[in-house]
Structures are given as structure tokens and as C-alpha cells.
Amino acid sequence: EIAMTQSPVTLSVSPGESATLSCRASQAISNKLAWYQQKPGQAPRLLIYGASTRATGVPARFSGSGSETEFTLTISSLQSDDFAVYFCQQYNHWPPWTFGQGTKVEIK
Amino acid sequence: VQVVQSGGGLVQPGGSLRLSCAGTGFTFSDYAMSWVRQAPGRGLEWISFISSRGTTYYADSVKGRFIVSRDNVKNSVFLQMNNLRVEDTATYFCARSYSNSWLILDNWGQGTLVPVSS
């Protein structure tokens, strides 16, 4: 089973600043990584797949990068709507498909 | 595209429950579907998958107790949960997978809370 580790657990950012979230896989997963955003009381929303491809309707301020074991989600110029929890998920080695524990992006 | 869940509710330990999930706005039979759960205040846990052709996979935590099925005529997927435990308490999400091979969950249901308690 592939373990996904996200850091930091919580990220405090001021609106307008950028945020960098990290996700590490316990084994190489090529580019088979997705990022999801979840707001309180809502279902997750797909942001990025293939490590760097934005899903339909996702603003360009969200960008993903990385390969194999190290991945990054960058949110440039944070808006109020972006404060949420972000999860990474690998889909290269399955089953099981595995998620990271999440990074909460909060207002500083 | 919409994924709409139904079912759920309080159940006692050892009891059973069936969750349903209907897909609209897309050719349901072409897509794999998956169930993901989230315990209160916790992260996401994948628990089951059913391919467009009916191949199924389960997380070890639910294997032998949960059964996923689909009805492509009714455009629905189901999760039969048996022998429920307190630790199964969670919000259960149904989600469409972008492909049969790669679990990219591009459309999610609204979630259903399943408390397991006596």
C-alpha cells in the first residue's frame, strides 16, 4: 500500500499571498496524482489530476507539479474561496487507492 | 453531470444499511464508480470501486462486510453495508471515476452520514 504524506498539516496564509502544499508518496507513482479541495460540509472537488492537469472549471491560480514521490500544489494569489482542506490521492498502485491526510489552508 | 445519493441514517452495531447513488447527465454504463468515506473530523478513505463492467475492489477495512453493485438500467450504484461497526461511522461519498483504470474522482455525490451507535 502506498502511503501519502502531506505537509504542512495547517498553512496560515493572508489573502492575496500564495500557498505551497506538499505531498509525498512512499513509493514512486509516476504522475498518477490528483488533488482535491474540500470545504466544510461539502463533498471534495477535483482540482488537479495527472499531477499537473487542471480539472474542468478550475482557475489558473491552481497549479500542480512533481513526479514519482514529490508533488506540489501551488495556489497563487489566494482568494477567500480558496480557504479549505486539500487532499492528494495516488492512483498508480491499486487497490487500495490512497489519500493524504490533508492540509488545511486557513486565513492568517 | 450529477451524482445524487440516498439512504443512510442511524444504525446499531451489527446492523445493515444500503446506500444508493444515481448518476445523471452522462452515460452511466461507461463509467466506473467508487465509494469514499470520511470519519468525523478525519481525512478521506477509499473503500470500494466498481468498474463499468462490474469488477469490484474493496479496502481491507470493509472487505467481507460491504458489497458494491450497480444497475446500469437504473443508472445507479449501491453499497450494501453489513455487520456495521462503531468505527464505520462516517460520511459516505459516492463518486464517478474519470476512467476504469485511473481513479480520478471527477464528480461527487453530496455525502450521506451513517452513524453506527447503540
Side-chain angles (χ1 to χ4, degrees), chain A residues 21 23 33 35 48 50-53 63-67 70-74:
Chain A
L21 288 65
C23 176
L33 184 99
W35 288 96
I48 300 280
S52 60
T53 301
S63 62
S65 63
S67 65
E70 300 285 342
F71 300 88
T72 299
L73 175 69
T74 302

Side-chain angles (χ1 to χ4, degrees), chain B residues 11-18 37 61-67 80-89 92 114 116:
Chain B
V11 61
Q12 292 186 337
S16 297
L17 199 64
R18 188 195 199 206
R37 70 183 179 184
S61 58
V62 305
K63 196 175 294 182
R65 300 186 299 123
F66 290 14
I67 300 171
Q80 177 67 41
M81 304 186 292
N82 301 319
N83 191 20
L84 281 158
R85 306 167 178 167
V86 171
E87 55 266 35
D88 293 320
T89 293
Y92 287 74
V114 177
V116 182

Side-chain angles (χ1 to χ4, degrees), chain A residues 1 32 34 36 38 41-46 48-50 87 89-92 94-101, chain B residues 34 36 38 42-46 48-49 57-60 93 98 100-106 108-111:
Chain A
E1 174 174 332
K32 303 301 186 288
Y36 300 86
Q38 187 180 33
Q42 296 185 17
R45 169 198 178 195
L46 176 67
I48 300 280
Y49 61 95
F87 295 94
Q89 173 234 323
Q90 69 83 22
Y91 52 94
N92 193 56
W94 50 270
W97 293 269
T98 46
F99 292 88
Q101 81 280 13
Chain B
S34 201
V36 174
Q38 186 171 38
R42 305 296 296 274
L44 301 172
E45 178 190 17
W46 167 81
S48 74
F49 169 93
Y57 298 100
Y58 300 93
D60 286 346
F93 295 100
Y98 181 76
N100 275 310
S101 300
W102 308 120
L103 194 79
I104 302 166
L105 301 172
D106 65 351
W108 294 65
Q110 77 275 21

Side-chain angles (χ1 to χ4, degrees), chain B residues 44-56:
Chain B
L44 301 172
E45 178 190 17
W46 167 81
I47 58 169
S48 74
F49 169 93
I50 184 165
S51 75
S52 61
R53 296 184 178 185
T55 301
T56 58

